[in-house]
Amino acid sequence: DHQLLTEFGFWSLSQVQAHFQNHATLRMACYVDGVLEYHPITVDDITIDEGTHDLVEMAGSTGTRPEDTDDVSLMPTSNHRMLLRVGATVGEREWAPSDDKAAPAFEVHMAGSVLDRGSSDESVAAQFIARFAGGAATAVCADELPFVEALGLQTDDEVDAFLQLYGFWVGSGGLSGSGVDEVILKSMTSDSHGYLDALFAKLRRVLPMASAPASGVVHVAHIQDAAQPPYRKYCIGDLQWFAYFKGEHNCTYSGGEWFWDWVWQRLDMRQLRLVIGGLCAASGSIETGSICTSSLRFRDELQRLLLHAGYSAVFRLAPSNLPSATQPQWTVYFTEQAQQAEPMFNVSKSFRGVAQQSGAVWCVSVPAKGQFIMVRRVLEADDSGQVLSASRPVVVGNTKPINGAMTILNPRTGQCFIKVIHSSVWAGQKRLGQLAKWKTAEETVALVRSLPVEEQPNQLIVSRKGMLDPLEVTMLDFPNITIRGSEMQLPLQALLKIEKIGDMILKATEPKMSMWSCYDNWLATVSPYTAFSRLVLILRALHINNERAKIVLRPDKSTVTEPHHLWPTLTDEQWIKVENQLKDLILADYGKKNNVNVASLTASEIRDVILGMEIQAPSQQRQQIAEIEKQAREQTQLTAVTTKTQNVHGDEIVVTTTSNYESQAFKSKTEWRQRAIAAQNLPLRTKHLYVTSDDISDTAHTYVLPKNLLKQFIAIADPRTQIAGYLYGVSPAGNDQVKEVHSIVLVPQWATHLQVHLPDRMPSHEYLRDLEPLGWIHTMPNELSHLSPQDVTIHSRILARTADKAKMRWDGERTVVMTCAFTPGSCSLTAYKLTPVGFEWGRENMDMTSSSPDGFSPACFERVQMLLSDRFMGFFMVPEDDGVWNFNFMGSMHRADMTYGLQLDVPRDFYDAMHRPSHFMTFGALENANAAVDEADVEDELA
C-alpha cells in the first residue's frame, strides 16, 4: 500500500512492474542534499521480499485542521533505513537542550531502533522531511525556454507574467470552440479580475488590450448567466498564441488541466512558484495554500509539481454541499511551514510495532547519494485502484542490503557460531526470503563439515519451520545427524542487539565466521540447563524491550562487564533477582498484548510464554472447550445414518453409522478430481517463470527453449504427477555451443510424484531426422536444489541404452535434464548435465525410492545455462493413437517394450477424456444396468 515518487508521479509496485515489461529503465525521484534529482533504475534494482516481517507503523497528525488529520502514515520493516531527526524533547516541538547543538541532525536510523528508543523514553520524538527545500534540479536559462520565441517574449518581466498567466489558464481556461480561434481565461472574482489585468499590463507590448474582438489583441467579455454568478472572460485573439497553445495542448478543445512537458523539464523552483501562483488565483488561495480540482490526474500532477517547487503537499477530498454530486472535488494543500514540511511526532504515541506480519514488502535501490526516496502510503482506494486518500509524502531511505548473520547455538556448552553474511550476497537477487533460507542451510552444512567427526552434532534443532526443507536437502551427506523442528521461537536475533556482536556484523567487509561463549563463566556454578534457561530469559527480554532489559541486567552502577564476556558479572544471588525481573518483564508484555491477567497463567503457560511457544488466549481456549463439550453432547444423542453406495462391480452396499467418526470421508492426495480442478490454474503460472542461473558450468552448452513449447507443456501437466518429453533441436549456424530446442516429443508414459516411466523404444520420425537429441524435460511438484537421484538414474539408463544405436545415440556432453518445478504461483526451471561420475553411478543404481541412495552426491551432475526465447517457435509430436500419451489411468496397457508411432499435433491435456476412458465406461455400465432393470419392470401390453 506504499507508493514511490517516479518521473510519472507516485507509483505502486504493480505499476512499476508493468512499466518494466515494455521499458528498460525508470527514473526515480531522489532526495540529494535537499534537492529533487531523478536517477534511472532497472528492474534489477527492485527488491521484493515475501514472507513474515516485523513492521513499524508510524502515524500521526501534524495539526488540528481537517487536512492535517492522519497526515503522516508509514509502515516500513523494522530494519528499514529512515531519514529522521531523533532525540529527546521538552515540549511538542522543542528539542531538549544539548551541550553541542540545539537540535539533533537528520541521520539514518533503523525503524526498529527508533521504536525501541521511544519505548524506553517517552520524551523521544522523531522528525521527518516532507519536502525538497531546494526544489527540483531541472533549471535552465530563461532564454532557453521554448515558449519565449514562439510567443515573442523579450524581457524577464514578460516571461514571469506569461508563467503566471499560464498557471491561471491551466486552472480556469481553455481554447475557444465556437469557430473563433481564441485562448480563453475565465475570471470568477474581483480579485482574479485585478490579477489578470495586472498580468496583461505587463504583456501589453505583445498583447494589447482592446474593447472589441480583433486579431492580435485581448478583449474582455462580461458574462451574465442565470446558472452561475457573473464572470469575466478574457479572450486572447492572437493567432500565434492560439497556435502555440493548441499545439502544446495536443489539439484538445477542452479544459487545460494538465501540465505541458517544459513545465517539468525546464522551470526552476522560482518559475514553478509563479505557475502555482496563477493556479491559486484561478482555483485556489495562496493565503491558505490550497488548489481545487475535480480531476484525479491533475490532482496527482499538481502534488508532484508542488514537490518540484519546494513545497510539502497533500490532497484531501473536499466535502460537497450537493448530495447528488457525481464528480468529487479535490483540494491539494501545500506549505513551507515546519509543522507540516518537517512533521514531528512523539515516538511512544505515534509509533507501534507490528510483529510477524505476512505479505510482500518492496523498495528500490537508487544510484544517488544517501539513497533517499520519497514515499506516500495509500490509505483508501476504490475498486479500480484509484487512490482516494493518501498520506503526506515523506523522505525515507531504501532497503539497501546490509550485512546479516546466522547463529548456531550449542545449548550444552554455550558455544555460539555466528557467520556474517555480507551484503554482497543479496546484490541483484529477487527472492530474498527464499535465498536467505538456502544460504543459511549451506552455511550450516559448511560449519558441520569443518568440525572434527567427534565434535559434529547428533541432531540439529531448527527454530524456524521454513528451514526444515532446505536443511534436509543440504544435509544429505550427513545421514546420521537428525534434523528436528521445534515449537520454540528462540529470539537468537536478539544477540545482534549486543554492541560487540552488532558492531562486528555491521562493520564486516567480507563474510567471516566467529565463535562466542554465550554462557560466559556460568557453567562453573550452574548446570547447562540453568544456563540455557537464563540465556533464553535474557534474549527474550532484549527482544521485547531492549533498553529496559539492559537496565535490569545492571542492578547497580558498580556492575561491570568483563572484556571477554557478553553479560555483566553477577553473583548467583544477583542472577536470581535479575531472572525474576526479566520473567516479570516478559509476562507483563504478553499480558499487555493479549489482554490477559498474568496472575491467571499456569506454570506450564508461563514456561511456554518464556520459551516463545504459541499458546492460545484464554478466550480462544474457552471457545474450543465449549465446542468440544457441544460435540460430546451430540455424541450422546446417537443418530443412525444409513448410506447406500455401489462398489466398482455395481453391487449395492448399505452401511449404517451412529457416530461422526464413522461418517467422515476419506481424503487422499491422489484424488484425481481435485487435482483435475487444480490443473486448470497451471496456465496462470506461466506468467511467472524463473530460470536458475547460479553455479552454472562455463564449458557446457547453452540451451534455448522457446516459450510456446514451455507454456503448452506446463498447461497440459498435472500439479503433482510428473510428465516428461524428449527434447530435439539443432545448433544455429556458426555457434556450436548453443543448442536450440525445436521439438518436444511426448511418448506413452505413466508417473508418480518422484519419477516418470517411459518406453525403452526411442522416438523415430522423419520430422526428427534433421534434429539431434538434446535430452528430456519433466515437471516436479516441488523445487529441489539439486538433480534428483531418480533423474540421474533414468538419464544414465537412456545414455547406456542408446550407446550402440548410431541414429538415436545420446551424447552425454550434449543431452541434459530440464526440470520444471511448480513453486507457489510460478514455475522454476533448471537444466543439468550428468558428469562421468554420475553416469557410472546412475547406470548401476537400483534404488529408485530413496531421496539419498548410497553413492549419490552433488558430483554426479552440474548445472548448465538455460534460456527462454520468443524469437523462434517449436512444435510437439504425440503418439499416433489419437494422441494418447498419458497412461496413468490405464497403467496396465503401458509396457516398457511397447511400440508407438508419432504424429505432429497439439498434445492433449493430462485429464483429457481420451486419457481416462475407464471413467466413462463405468458410467456407461451403470446406465446399462439401470436400463435393464427398467425394461424388466415394464410390461408389453401388445406381446
Side-chain angles (χ1 to χ4, degrees):
D1 58 349
H2 290 73
Q3 294 181 325
L4 310 186
L5 182 58
T6 71
E7 60 181 313
F8 303 107
F10 284 95
W11 272 9
S12 62
L13 173 60
S14 59
Q15 292 172 297
V16 173
Q17 290 176 322
H19 174 84
F20 278 119
Q21 291 180 358
N22 301 311
H23 304 83
T25 62
L26 173 67
R27 293 195 305 151
M28 300 296 301
C30 305
Y31 179 90
V32 181
D33 296 331
V35 177
L36 189 159
E37 296 181 2
Y38 285 101
H39 291 273
I41 65 167
T42 65
V43 68
D44 294 332
D45 295 317
I46 303 176
T47 300
I48 304 174
D49 191 3
E50 299 181 356
T52 56
H53 314 278
D54 291 334
L55 306 178
V56 178
E57 184 173 25
M58 310 170 179
S61 302
T62 59
T64 58
R65 300 180 302 175
E67 61 267 24
D68 297 333
T69 304
D70 296 331
D71 201 20
V72 174
S73 181
L74 292 174
M75 190 178 285
T77 55
S78 59
N79 64 341
H80 197 99
R81 300 167 62 249
M82 306 295 297
L83 182 61
L84 299 172
R85 177 182 282 161
V86 180
T89 59
V90 293
E92 291 188 359
R93 295 188 60 85
E94 184 177 353
W95 297 103
S98 177
D99 296 336
D100 55 345
K101 51 189 174 181
F106 280 103
E107 296 176 335
V108 174
H109 299 268
M110 296 298 175
S113 65
V114 177
L115 179 65
D116 293 340
R117 188 170 174 182
S119 61
S120 61
D121 186 353
E122 294 184 354
S123 68
V124 171
Q127 190 171 24
F128 296 83
I129 297 177
R131 72 180 184 118
F132 301 93
T138 55
V140 296
C141 297
D143 56 0
E144 296 182 16
L145 295 173
F147 57 82
V148 173
E149 182 178 356
L151 302 180
L153 305 179
Q154 295 180 357
T155 66
D156 291 343
D157 287 344
E158 289 178 347
V159 172
D160 291 349
F162 169 76
L163 291 175
Q164 297 176 73
L165 190 71
Y166 167 74
F168 193 101
W169 180 82
V170 171
S172 182
L175 300 177
S176 175
S178 59
V180 181
D181 294 341
E182 292 180 328
V183 179
I184 306 299
L185 297 96
K186 293 173 60 176
S187 175
M188 308 300 294
T189 66
S190 59
D191 290 341
S192 60
H193 301 341
Y195 184 83
L196 288 179
D197 290 341
L199 293 181
F200 283 116
K202 295 180 181 179
L203 293 169
R204 60 181 177 272
R205 187 188 60 82
V206 291
L207 289 177
M209 298 287 290
S211 59
S215 177
V217 300
V218 179
H219 76 278
V220 181
H222 297 267
I223 308 299
Q224 299 288 336
D225 192 344
Q228 56 184 333
Y231 66 92
R232 291 184 184 180
K233 186 165 70 172
Y234 289 75
C235 305
I236 303 175
D238 190 294
L239 295 180
Q240 188 176 1
W241 280 58
F242 179 83
Y244 180 76
F245 273 67
K246 180 180 177 181
E248 289 289 330
H249 203 55
N250 201 19
C251 303
T252 301
Y253 289 90
S254 60
E257 287 201 329
W258 63 81
F259 295 109
W260 299 342
D261 290 341
W262 50 260
V263 175
W264 306 109
Q265 301 170 0
R266 301 297 185 90
L267 301 187
D268 60 15
M269 186 169 70
R270 185 191 67 83
Q271 294 166 333
L272 289 174
R273 294 195 175 197
L274 293 175
V275 176
I276 293 169
L279 269 167
C280 290
S283 57
S285 171
I286 196 68
E287 289 79 13
T288 61
S290 61
I291 302 174
C292 300
T293 181
S294 60
S295 168
L296 279 170
R297 168 181 170 173
F298 186 64
R299 177 203 69 186
D300 294 336
E301 281 200 357
L302 186 55
Q303 185 181 34
R304 180 177 164 222
L305 182 80
L306 291 165
L307 293 172
H308 275 234
Y311 292 111
S312 175
V314 66
F315 63 82
R316 293 289 182 263
L317 184 62
S320 175
N321 296 325
L322 301 175
S324 60
T326 58
Q327 192 170 17
Q329 292 291 325
W330 304 93
T331 303
V332 182
Y333 297 94
F334 61 96
T335 183
E336 290 182 284
Q337 296 181 0
Q339 187 171 357
Q340 285 80 29
E342 293 184 355
M344 181 174 172
F345 304 104
N346 182 275
V347 174
S348 62
K349 296 178 181 179
S350 301
F351 288 34
R352 72 180 185 93
V354 182
Q356 297 298 302
Q357 187 77 8
S358 299
V361 295
W362 75 290
C363 201
V364 297
S365 296
V366 292
K369 176 183 176 182
Q371 302 216 2
F372 300 123
I373 55 179
M374 179 157 273
V375 180
R376 77 179 185 188
R377 185 181 182 190
V378 177
L379 304 178
E380 183 182 358
D382 60 15
D383 295 337
S384 64
Q386 292 286 357
V387 178
L388 302 181
S389 178
S391 65
R392 183 180 297 274
V394 295
V395 176
V396 302
N398 67 346
T399 51
K400 181 180 180 181
I402 60 175
N403 294 344
M406 176 198 70
T407 56
I408 300 177
L409 175 68
N410 185 340
R412 184 177 297 276
T413 63
Q415 285 183 337
C416 182
F417 295 93
I418 299 181
K419 175 60 182 289
V420 176
I421 310 298
H422 193 257
S423 59
S424 59
V425 174
W426 319 113
Q429 302 295 331
K430 301 291 189 304
R431 298 146 73 182
L432 297 183
Q434 187 178 14
L435 175 63
K437 294 176 184 178
W438 287 99
K439 184 64 177 177
T440 303
E442 292 174 2
E443 295 294 343
T444 303
V445 174
L447 174 62
V448 172
R449 185 175 283 113
S450 66
L451 296 174
V453 177
E454 60 274 10
E455 294 184 14
Q456 291 179 355
N458 294 325
Q459 61 178 334
L460 291 177
I461 301 176
V462 185
S463 60
R464 297 291 183 269
K465 294 181 180 179
M467 287 298 305
L468 282 174
D469 290 341
L471 274 176
E472 288 176 355
V473 172
T474 55
M475 291 290 290
L476 291 175
D477 293 343
F478 302 93
N480 295 327
I481 298 179
T482 305
I483 302 175
R484 295 173 49 193
S486 174
E487 296 296 328
M488 292 190 304
Q489 296 292 328
L490 294 180
L492 294 178
Q493 66 269 29
L495 286 171
L496 276 63
K497 297 183 178 181
I498 303 173
E499 286 77 1
K500 294 179 181 179
I501 298 178
D503 291 345
M504 183 270 296
I505 294 172
L506 293 177
K507 295 179 181 179
T509 58
E510 60 183 1
K512 65 177 181 179
M513 176 74 75
S514 60
M515 187 178 70
W516 302 74
S517 175
C518 289
Y519 292 169
D520 289 348
N521 59 349
W522 299 346
L523 296 181
T525 56
V526 299
S527 66
Y529 176 84
T530 303
F532 179 72
S533 302
R534 181 183 298 171
L535 178 65
V536 171
L537 274 173
I538 295 174
L539 296 180
R540 179 73 57 195
L542 288 172
H543 183 64
I544 292 173
N545 192 329
N546 184 35
E547 298 297 332
R548 178 60 183 164
K550 289 181 178 179
I551 294 174
V552 172
L553 286 171
R554 295 185 179 276
D556 53 60
K557 295 182 179 180
S558 62
T559 304
V560 297
T561 301
E562 299 293 338
H564 57 286
H565 285 178
L566 291 178
W567 315 113
T569 303
L570 303 175
T571 63
D572 290 345
E573 292 75 13
Q574 287 177 317
W575 272 119
I576 293 175
K577 294 179 181 180
V578 168
E579 289 170 3
N580 288 330
Q581 291 179 357
L582 294 176
K583 183 181 73 172
D584 294 341
L585 174 64
I586 297 169
L587 294 179
D589 177 78
Y590 175 81
K592 181 180 179 180
K593 290 181 178 178
N594 295 277
N595 195 22
V596 173
N597 184 3
V598 178
S600 64
L601 296 176
T602 64
S604 61
E605 289 175 335
I606 292 175
R607 179 201 63 196
D608 291 343
V609 170
I610 294 174
L611 293 177
M613 306 267 294
E614 292 290 340
I615 67 173
Q616 294 178 333
S619 59
Q620 295 177 336
Q621 292 178 351
R622 288 192 296 269
Q623 183 179 358
Q624 289 188 353
I625 292 173
E627 292 177 355
I628 294 174
E629 292 176 348
K630 180 181 178 181
Q631 292 178 1
R633 287 194 300 269
E634 291 176 352
Q635 291 291 345
T636 58
Q637 302 173 356
L638 297 179
T639 302
V641 178
T642 302
T643 305
K644 184 183 296 185
T645 59
Q646 287 184 334
N647 63 8
V648 294
H649 303 293
D651 301 330
E652 190 174 86
I653 300 175
V654 178
V655 179
T656 301
T657 60
T658 57
S659 66
N660 293 334
Y661 172 76
E662 295 173 301
S663 301
Q664 290 180 350
F666 173 73
K667 295 182 179 180
S668 171
K669 288 185 178 180
T670 59
E671 175 57 45
W672 70 271
R673 295 174 180 85
Q674 296 179 3
R675 291 189 1 243
I677 296 174
Q680 303 302 313
N681 294 325
L682 287 178
L684 300 177
R685 296 173 182 252
T686 59
K687 297 180 180 179
H688 303 283
L689 301 174
Y690 300 97
V691 179
T692 302
S693 58
D694 297 334
D695 302 328
I696 60 174
S697 174
D698 297 331
T699 59
H701 294 81
T702 298
Y703 295 82
V704 184
L705 182 64
K707 286 188 178 180
N708 77 305
L709 287 184
L710 177 61
K711 291 181 178 180
Q712 183 66 23
F713 187 71
I714 294 173
I716 65 172
D718 177 73
R720 179 171 173 80
T721 303
Q722 294 188 9
I723 72 168
Y726 290 118
L727 304 175
Y728 285 84
V730 296
S731 294
N735 195 348
D736 293 337
Q737 283 298 110
V738 176
K739 300 294 181 181
E740 296 180 350
V741 178
H742 284 197
S743 175
I744 294 181
V745 180
L746 293 174
V747 299
Q749 58 187 273
W750 69 276
T752 65
H753 66 287
L754 293 177
Q755 62 175 318
V756 62
H757 298 268
L758 305 171
D760 293 341
R761 178 185 174 89
M762 300 304 293
S764 177
H765 194 272
E766 60 177 342
Y767 290 167
L768 305 177
R769 191 173 303 160
D770 296 330
L771 304 179
E772 62 176 309
L774 300 179
W776 58 297
I777 182 174
H778 72 89
T779 60
M780 300 171 61
N782 299 301
E783 184 179 13
L784 299 178
S785 63
H786 59 89
L787 187 63
S788 69
Q790 290 83 6
D791 291 350
V792 174
T793 303
I794 293 173
H795 195 79
S796 299
R797 291 176 180 176
I798 297 177
L799 289 173
R801 192 167 61 243
T802 61
D804 56 349
K805 300 177 181 179
K807 295 183 179 181
M808 300 181 181
R809 181 177 177 272
W810 280 27
D811 188 340
E813 292 297 323
R814 298 183 180 181
T815 54
V816 295
V817 184
M818 292 187 184
T819 61
C820 177
F822 294 138
T823 49
S826 61
C827 298
S828 296
L829 298 154
T830 312
Y832 298 93
K833 180 176 74 72
L834 257 61
T835 61
V837 175
F839 170 70
E840 295 298 334
W841 177 87
R843 186 171 57 174
E844 303 296 332
N845 177 49
M846 301 300 295
D847 185 357
M848 295 294 287
T849 58
S850 174
S851 60
S852 57
D854 293 338
F856 179 73
S857 70
C860 294
F861 56 87
E862 60 183 17
R863 291 191 180 95
V864 298
Q865 181 71 47
M866 176 184 175
L867 302 175
L868 301 180
S869 176
D870 289 325
R871 293 182 176 271
F872 66 95
M873 310 284 280
F875 62 90
F876 279 92
M877 301 206 72
V878 297
E880 283 183 338
D881 297 334
D882 295 322
V884 175
W885 56 269
N886 179 15
F887 282 71
N888 284 278
F889 299 99
M890 40 188 178
S892 60
M893 299 176 61
H894 188 278
R895 303 186 314 276
D897 59 348
M898 68 185 298
T899 60
Y900 57 89
L902 294 176
Q903 64 182 7
L904 185 68
D905 202 353
V906 177
R908 297 179 181 274
D909 292 343
F910 190 92
Y911 292 99
D912 189 273
M914 296 298 294
H915 288 159
R916 45 191 184 92
S918 59
H919 297 161
F920 298 91
M921 293 173 65
T922 303
F923 299 152
L926 291 175
E927 292 178 359
N928 293 335
N930 292 334
V933 173
D934 293 341
E935 287 180 4
D937 291 339
V938 175
E939 182 178 357
D940 190 354
E941 299 291 346
L942 302 177

